[in-house]
Amino acid sequence: MKKFNSKLIIPGAMAVLALSYSCKDYLNRTPTGSLNTIILANKAGVDGLLIGAYSLLDGTYGGQPGNTWMTGTDNWIYGSVAADDAHKGSTPDDQADAGKIEAYIATSSNNYLDPKWRVMFNGVQRANDVLRELPLVKDGSVTPAYAKEVIAESRFLRAFYEFDLAKLWRNVPYADETVTYDNGNFNIGNPGPIWDKIEADLTAAMADLPATQSEKGRVNKYAAQAFLAKAYMYDHKYAQALPLLNDLIANGVTSSGTKYALVHYADNFNASTKNNSEGVFVIQASVHDGSNGDNGASGGTLNFPSAGPATCCGFFQPSFSFANAFKVDAATGLPLLDTYNDSDIANDQNVGSDKPFTPYAGTLDPRLDWSVGRRGIPYLDWGIMPGASWARDQTDGGPYVPIKNTYYKSAQASTSEAYEGWAPNQSVANGYNAIRFADVLLWAAEAEIEIGSLDKAQGYVNWVRDRAADKTGWVHTYKDDGNSTGGFTDIPAANYKVGYYGTYAGVNGGTSNAAMSFATQGKDFARKAVQFERRLELGMEGHRFFDLQRWDGIFGGPMGSGYMAGVLNGYLNHEVHVPNFPSALLNSAHFVAGRSELFPVPISQINLTNGAIKQNPGYN
């Protein structure tokens, strides 16, 4: 089966698309030549425009404004560093505007925000270009059936880009194909949330997309359905989301036709095992394809240890709080929902790699060591993680390093290459899981808690935990520590244990705990358990900030107004009191309820639209 590479544009449309990409601002002016019907009014032209719209799914393109790590749809900075997953890391003065996002002191002139806004609206533009062009094709090369599918794909893509914008700014313009830039109506403003518009696009896409596709990177009916369910979750329409989620669980298949299922946890982060049955929608990445690394997962270019794999650049370091969250009760194997931060797991903060260190011996959720690189534990097949020598600067980053984006040493040659000639082995074929099946299960658990059955919600959480209990999917010790690519033993690398809520007939040996059932403990406990499970399952994947945001009562969530501020200020208070972690950045950080839940609208966009676009509350 041919791989669908969304970064490749067919030659017939290349010149026109290149002009479209270079527009100064999507909401300010017409890209010259973007509607050259003589060139594009045929199937080849439409296909080229569609591929161009797909190509921005990773949030990056050659010649874009800003740098790719500012705009990637993995949202490492906006979804994880701005939450409690990770620190920006590296040195304090490197990517200083990313540090301002971490400390909640970003302003409307922050140099990360305008490129993110512009690149996402460029994606909206490209989707709309397809929709505007289709009616102009009169040569019979596009059949009605094909046109229907292309429209559905384009509306999905438009919704995807608008969704990414809405997560960061909430109050963003919605631009459909009727909004052009030579008829005086480009200043459409941002009057409020656009969930209804996103939901309409996704509903239409879901209705007309096929169940399977010939290329694995193309969206199918079920992926659109999953995004629609996700939009309903953000819009707190649980009654609309739950039937979609139930259908996805019962009948959903990947674009290749494989029924959704959970796989070994680590297989979701390995370029060689991506696009598996858990991949509801995977944003594709490739290397060694003649693109000079541009088609790799370039949003995470900086996010490797500063030594070991790639040798650069020491950003995106997991937080102390995130690592602590994986502690479990020694008797039950369940998370310490309220007390996980009472003490820190043993770490090597301010302990040189040449000094003795003993890893934490307490009980842990096994997902920790697929989510956090920590000293004394095998780091994929790169060897025992040595600690401080792999951290560029522990002062603001701490002792931990990222791992989910990293390739295996044994596969380095085939899954990585230099990014644009300067970043060795920092372009990788490890595409981004925009939605995994675990997402679907945990959304279903949330919806059941709000409108349905606590027992069903518990079952979905335990389904996810049962995968974690599979010992064959744990991190194991090396057969020979001196030969890390020589294979692994069946001995767990740490003291792992997984328990279930209530009584659950899992297949992987987790511990049932009848007294800790959702029904016995009540709705508030069930909410806390599901939310904590999302943190464990999906940490370091760019979701956490937006989960906290949608749970906050300020936006209609179930946890009461100010919930997000309480969580993140509590997190900051913990981090600044970690011994030997003198982070000046975090000492100045404070999350302001009613402001910090959203990012400031770039001042350039307000100015370019003569004030039609308004600033978010609390920002100048």
Side-chain angles (χ1 to χ4, degrees):
M1 178 173 58
K2 183 179 79 172
K3 178 179 179 181
F4 179 68
N5 188 339
S6 62
K7 289 289 189 179
L8 300 179
I9 311 297
I10 64 170
M14 180 70 80
V16 173
L17 291 173
L19 290 170
S20 176
Y21 304 165
S22 64
C23 60
K24 181 177 180 182
D25 183 82
Y26 167 65
L27 289 176
N28 189 50
R29 61 187 61 185
T30 308
T32 305
S34 64
L35 295 179
N36 189 326
T37 60
I38 295 175
I39 296 175
L40 297 180
N42 51 60
K43 185 176 183 298
V46 167
D47 285 346
L49 288 170
L50 180 62
I51 293 172
Y54 268 101
S55 74
L56 256 68
L57 282 173
D58 63 356
T60 72
Y61 63 92
Q64 67 169 70
N67 294 303
T68 59
W69 51 85
M70 300 173 176
T71 60
T73 51
D74 59 359
N75 285 319
W76 71 277
I77 183 68
Y78 310 106
S80 286
V81 170
D84 48 6
D85 279 358
H87 302 303
K88 184 268 289 182
S90 189
T91 56
D93 58 343
D94 196 347
Q95 301 298 314
D97 273 12
K100 292 175 183 177
I101 290 172
E102 180 180 7
Y104 312 113
I105 55 174
T107 68
S108 59
S109 59
N110 186 285
N111 69 10
Y112 269 60
L113 297 174
D114 183 61
K116 176 68 173 178
W117 178 288
R118 290 167 64 189
V119 170
M120 288 301 95
F121 270 117
N122 197 317
V124 174
Q125 164 80 312
R126 294 190 191 188
N128 284 336
D129 280 347
V130 180
L131 295 169
R132 282 190 284 264
E133 191 65 25
L134 265 172
L136 305 177
V137 178
K138 306 294 186 182
D139 65 356
S141 59
V142 175
T143 66
Y146 186 67
K148 182 178 180 181
E149 181 175 338
V150 168
I151 290 169
E153 290 184 67
S154 300
R155 293 193 70 175
F156 168 82
L157 292 168
R158 180 170 67 198
F160 178 94
Y161 300 121
E162 292 277 9
F163 203 142
D164 214 49
L165 288 156
K167 289 190 302 183
L168 272 74
W169 289 285
R170 185 172 175 86
N171 306 305
V172 295
Y174 175 81
D176 65 16
E177 68 274 20
T178 68
V179 177
T180 56
Y181 317 106
D182 56 1
N183 61 6
N185 70 346
F186 59 85
N187 288 345
I188 54 179
N190 55 335
I194 58 169
W195 297 122
D196 58 334
K197 308 287 196 308
I198 292 170
E199 290 157 9
D201 273 340
L202 292 170
T203 299
M206 171 186 157
D208 289 340
L209 283 168
T212 60
Q213 294 275 21
S214 58
E215 298 96 357
K216 60 189 175 185
R218 289 183 100 128
V219 63
N220 72 342
K221 160 191 166 62
Y222 292 108
Q225 183 171 326
F227 272 95
L228 177 57
K230 181 176 182 176
Y232 284 146
M233 296 300 290
Y234 274 72
D235 204 11
H236 309 107
K237 295 178 178 177
Y238 303 111
Q240 288 94 322
L242 190 54
L244 299 177
L245 294 165
N246 287 336
D247 182 61
L248 288 165
I249 292 166
N251 303 305
V253 299
T254 68
S255 288
S256 301
T258 304
K259 190 177 188 314
Y260 292 152
L262 300 179
V263 298
H264 277 164
Y265 189 71
D267 286 352
N268 292 298
F269 318 111
N270 182 346
S272 301
T273 52
K274 272 278 167 71
N275 298 294
N276 55 53
S277 60
E278 192 166 343
V280 175
F281 192 66
V282 182
I283 295 173
Q284 304 299 305
S286 64
V287 295
H288 303 299
D289 55 10
S291 69
N292 198 28
D294 281 343
N295 290 345
S298 51
T301 301
L302 303 181
N303 300 338
F304 298 92
S306 65
T311 72
C312 183
C313 288
F315 290 83
F316 200 29
Q317 292 180 239
S319 69
F320 295 94
S321 178
F322 180 63
N324 291 342
F326 290 86
K327 293 189 297 185
V328 301
D329 181 87
T332 67
L334 289 173
L336 305 177
L337 301 180
D338 298 309
T339 61
Y340 68 95
N341 256 347
D342 285 358
S343 63
D344 297 322
I345 69 171
N347 61 75
D348 65 319
Q349 180 69 13
N350 208 32
V351 178
S353 293
D354 59 340
K355 305 296 183 183
F357 174 77
T358 302
Y360 182 72
T363 46
L364 294 164
D365 187 300
R367 288 170 289 188
L368 169 64
D369 292 319
W370 293 121
S371 304
V372 174
R374 61 191 182 104
R375 184 170 176 181
I377 302 298
Y379 186 93
L380 305 180
D381 62 350
W382 285 92
I384 302 297
M385 197 284 211
S389 65
W390 273 22
R392 185 173 178 181
D393 185 346
Q394 288 191 345
T395 302
D396 279 311
Y400 303 120
V401 298
I403 191 169
K404 283 185 172 179
N405 64 313
T406 307
Y407 45 83
Y408 286 72
K409 184 177 183 180
S410 56
Q412 181 180 33
S414 61
T415 60
S416 72
E417 70 170 317
Y419 173 68
E420 294 194 342
W422 67 269
N425 299 309
Q426 288 167 242
S427 176
V428 300
N430 192 0
Y432 177 60
N433 299 301
I435 295 181
R436 300 198 267 119
F437 186 50
D439 265 308
V440 172
L441 294 172
L442 293 175
W443 287 329
E446 284 188 53
E448 288 287 1
I449 288 169
E450 299 309 321
I451 63 167
S453 161
L454 293 183
D455 286 341
K456 286 184 180 179
Q458 176 179 284
Y460 290 135
V461 174
N462 282 335
W463 189 344
V464 173
R465 294 187 63 77
D466 190 48
R467 185 260 296 278
D470 182 359
K471 293 181 173 134
T472 65
W474 292 356
V475 175
H476 295 97
T477 60
Y478 296 121
K479 291 180 179 178
D480 177 0
D481 285 351
N483 179 23
S484 61
T485 59
F488 298 85
T489 70
D490 59 0
I491 301 169
N495 182 12
Y496 303 131
K497 184 168 185 175
V498 178
Y500 305 132
Y501 294 99
T503 302
Y504 184 73
V507 299
N508 289 312
T511 304
S512 287
N513 300 277
M516 300 300 290
S517 73
F518 285 9
T520 300
Q521 297 295 318
K523 190 172 186 176
D524 288 345
F525 174 87
R527 281 181 179 145
K528 186 182 296 184
V530 173
Q531 292 166 6
F532 207 91
E533 197 66 28
R534 278 192 66 83
R535 188 179 191 193
L536 299 176
E537 176 69 22
L538 298 159
M540 300 293 288
E541 296 181 47
H543 301 300
R544 176 68 171 170
F545 183 93
F546 309 115
D547 280 340
L548 293 172
Q549 178 195 83
R550 68 185 175 83
W551 292 330
D552 198 304
I554 290 176
F555 301 127
M559 299 305 292
S561 295
Y563 167 75
M564 187 177 185
V567 170
L568 292 181
N569 283 325
Y571 155 72
L572 292 171
N573 183 62
H574 172 269
E575 299 295 290
V576 299
H577 288 99
V578 171
N580 302 309
F581 186 54
S583 174
L585 175 67
L586 294 188
N587 271 307
S588 67
H590 181 70
F591 189 101
V592 179
R595 183 196 74 186
S596 304
E597 296 86 359
L598 302 175
F599 294 92
V601 174
I603 189 63
S604 55
Q605 300 304 314
I606 295 171
N607 292 339
L608 284 166
T609 58
N610 300 313
I613 291 176
K614 306 300 183 185
Q615 185 55 269
N616 275 330
Y619 295 103
N620 296 324

